[in-house]
């Protein structure tokens, strides 16, 4: 009886082991079915590459061109474009174009040992000042508002601009302002037509006497004070260099007040670029 019981117990254990093995085989098979097939494997054992491609789906194209990842899209920008707004493009002697930001200019324009010794006697000469055109002439924005408003009336563009739009447009190229600030057009040809007309009107208003610049008396006093200490000054404007010098002469500002003029010929897109370029021309770290 004991032997029969032991034999019966042993057969039950064997049956349980067989059931566990079957469950393990089923789970392994289920995992194999659920696991994703690699699209990069050319084939599987016992199957052709063509059959593998049909079952795996179309191959994922690899992106080898890095420039396509850095290209500006219609609705977003990238790090390279943002960095360019805060830097000045320069061309090296080897013909390579580089972007110099504030850190690079601080390192490049840092005074040498001899210059530091000279600045001990005249510390004020280590500094410089950059004035924007609208600071020297507070009513300069009124000229821009009149020009943009006239263009909107002539070309039947809406909505009409206001002073807030003019202030926002100062921080970007006029072509970008037409598209993103005034919301008038996105077609490049129409955008250039609008900006050319605005430039013509601003030149016309200042030439025929329709608009007269009025310098700020407080700024003139400040310029006179720092000029006594031989502090170099620069003027940043969107006008041409010759037109800016004519305005200074017409308003009675001495021509030697500004040793550097950052004008439209310098093709700066943002205020940051104007300031950095003015700092570079003045030879002072920003």
């Amino acid at each position: 009886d004991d032997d029969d019981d032991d034999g019966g117990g042993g057969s039950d254990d064997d049956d349980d082991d067989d059931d566990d093995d079957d469950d393990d085989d089923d789970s392994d098979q289920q995992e194999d079915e659920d696991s994703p097939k690699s699209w990069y494997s050319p084939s599987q054992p016992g199957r052709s590459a063509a059959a593998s491609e049909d079952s795996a789906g179309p191959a994922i194209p690899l992106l080898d061109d890095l420039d396509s990842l850095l290209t500006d899209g219609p609705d977003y920008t990238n790090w390279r474009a943002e960095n360019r707004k805060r830097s000045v493009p320069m061309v090296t002697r080897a013909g390579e174009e580089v972007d110099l930001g504030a850190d690079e200019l601080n390192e490049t324009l840092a005074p040498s040992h001899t210059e530091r010794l000279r600045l001990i006697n005249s510390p004020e000469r280590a500094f410089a000042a950059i004035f924007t055109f609208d600071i020297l002439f507070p009513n300069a924005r009124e000229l821009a508002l009149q020009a943009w408003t006239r263009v909107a009336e002539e070309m039947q563009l809406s909505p009409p601009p206001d002073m807030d739009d003019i202030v926002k447009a100062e921080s970007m190229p006029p072509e970008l302002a037409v598209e993103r600030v005034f919301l008038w057009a996105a077609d490049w040809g129409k955008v250039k037509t609008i900006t050319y007309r605005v430039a013509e009107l601003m030149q016309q208003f200042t030439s025929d006497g329709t608009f007269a610049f009025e310098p700020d008396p407080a700024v003139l006093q400040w310029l006179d004070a720092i000029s006594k200490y031989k502090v170099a000054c620069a003027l940043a404007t969107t006008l041409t260099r010759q037109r800016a010098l004519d305005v200074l002469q017409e308003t009675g500002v001495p021509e030697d007040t500004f040793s550097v003029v950052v004008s439209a010929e310098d093709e700066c897109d943002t205020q940051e670029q104007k300031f950095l370029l003015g700092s570079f021309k003045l030879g002072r770290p920003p």
Side-chain angles (χ1 to χ4, degrees), residues 61-286:
L62 297 178
L63 189 58
D64 297 329
D65 188 8
L66 182 60
D67 292 337
S68 61
L69 290 174
L70 303 177
T71 305
D72 289 342
D75 298 326
Y76 64 92
T77 185
N78 55 42
W79 67 268
R80 180 175 295 175
E82 292 298 326
N83 181 68
R84 183 175 289 271
K85 295 178 182 178
R86 299 186 296 270
S87 59
V88 179
M90 297 288 181
V91 179
T92 61
R93 294 182 179 179
E96 181 183 0
E97 183 176 348
V98 295
D99 296 330
L100 298 181
D103 294 336
E104 291 80 5
L105 289 179
N106 284 334
E107 181 178 357
T108 303
L109 301 176
S112 62
H113 175 70
T114 305
E115 293 174 346
R116 286 196 296 267
L117 294 177
R118 186 182 300 112
L119 294 176
I120 294 177
N121 297 327
S122 302
E124 68 279 356
R125 297 195 179 185
F127 301 95
I130 301 177
F131 293 82
T132 58
F133 198 79
D134 60 285
I135 293 297
L136 181 58
F137 301 99
N139 64 337
R141 289 176 177 172
E142 295 291 340
L143 172 63
L145 180 60
Q146 293 181 17
W148 286 104
T149 303
R150 175 71 67 84
V151 169
E153 295 174 354
E154 292 179 353
M155 300 184 180
Q156 298 180 355
L157 302 172
S158 60
D162 54 18
M163 187 57 69
D164 292 337
D165 296 333
I166 300 301
V167 175
K168 294 178 182 178
E170 292 178 352
S171 62
M172 63 186 69
E175 293 82 4
L176 197 59
V178 172
E179 181 179 356
R180 297 188 179 181
V181 177
F182 302 108
L183 306 176
W184 286 345
D187 180 71
W188 183 248
K190 188 174 183 179
V191 168
K192 294 300 293 184
T193 301
I194 295 174
T195 55
Y196 282 148
R197 182 54 180 162
V198 170
E200 291 176 355
L201 289 175
M202 293 180 67
Q203 182 71 20
Q204 175 183 342
F205 290 161
T206 56
S207 300
D208 60 8
T210 305
F211 183 87
F213 291 102
E214 298 177 0
D216 189 343
V219 177
L220 293 179
Q221 294 178 5
W222 173 243
L223 286 171
D224 182 65
I226 62 178
S227 64
K228 294 179 180 179
Y229 296 95
K230 307 298 181 182
V231 176
C233 297
L235 178 65
T237 177
T238 56
L239 300 176
T240 62
R241 176 182 176 82
Q242 187 58 46
R243 182 55 190 159
L245 295 177
D246 293 341
V247 172
L248 293 178
Q249 184 178 5
E250 294 171 0
T251 54
V253 179
E255 296 182 0
D256 58 349
T257 302
F258 299 100
S259 58
V260 171
V261 177
V262 181
S263 58
E265 288 84 352
D266 295 309
E267 297 182 353
C268 295
D269 293 334
T270 61
Q271 291 280 22
E272 291 88 345
Q273 290 184 357
K274 294 178 183 178
F275 296 148
L276 291 176
L277 184 58
S279 176
F280 180 79
K281 289 185 175 183
L282 290 170
R284 304 292 194 278

